[in-house]
Amino acid sequence: LSRAVAESEVDEEYELMGRIGEMIEPTKRAAACLEEAGAAIMQRESVEAVGRHLVSCGEALEALSSRVGALDPGKEEGKSSSQRMMYASQQMIVAGKELAGEKKEKPKGKSWIKG
């Protein structure tokens, strides 16, 4: 991404340069969290610790997904990629919370009945 920022600057596409630059921090944060989750697994840390790392990674991917969609707002591919990344981040957060031992809220009353 750093190289893409530099190329955008050379091409004098400053708006694109800014959008790409905004993607660097969430990408680094997501990568670091995944590495921490892998290290926790290799060091035989608790499942809860791995879950917390996955939740952090999911949150970073969630932030990144909005920036992916903003790269070229007029294109359908960017919107689709952003939506897919958002779904993946949400699923990672759910998985991390389950591993961390957080309980899901159960439906109250008869709200679970469709109709």
Side-chain angles (χ1 to χ4, degrees):
L1 290 175
S2 297
R3 188 178 296 169
V5 169
E7 288 180 17
S8 297
E9 186 175 16
V10 168
D11 294 340
E12 297 180 0
E13 294 186 25
Y14 299 112
E15 188 174 329
L16 180 61
M17 182 181 78
R19 290 178 182 168
I20 295 171
E22 291 174 354
M23 294 173 62
I24 293 173
E25 179 58 33
T27 303
K28 286 183 178 180
R29 204 169 68 231
C33 291
L34 278 178
E35 286 181 21
E36 290 169 358
I41 291 169
M42 296 300 290
Q43 294 171 357
R44 298 178 188 256
E45 290 182 22
S46 68
V47 175
E48 292 83 14
V50 175
R52 286 191 302 271
H53 294 304
L54 289 179
V55 169
S56 297
C57 181
E59 291 167 350
L61 288 176
E62 192 172 50
L64 181 61
S65 71
S66 65
R67 290 170 175 94
V68 166
L71 279 177
D72 194 3
K75 299 265 181 161
E76 190 63 33
E77 293 89 4
K79 181 180 177 185
S80 177
S81 296
S82 175
Q83 290 172 344
R84 288 181 182 140
M85 187 176 283
M86 177 65 76
Y87 178 75
S89 71
Q90 291 169 345
Q91 293 304 304
M92 184 175 281
I93 291 170
V94 167
K97 286 182 177 180
E98 287 180 8
L99 287 173
E102 292 184 27
K103 302 288 182 191
K104 289 183 187 177
E105 284 189 31
K106 294 183 179 179
K108 294 179 179 150
K110 295 184 181 185
S111 64
W112 53 273
I113 297 176
K114 289 186 178 182

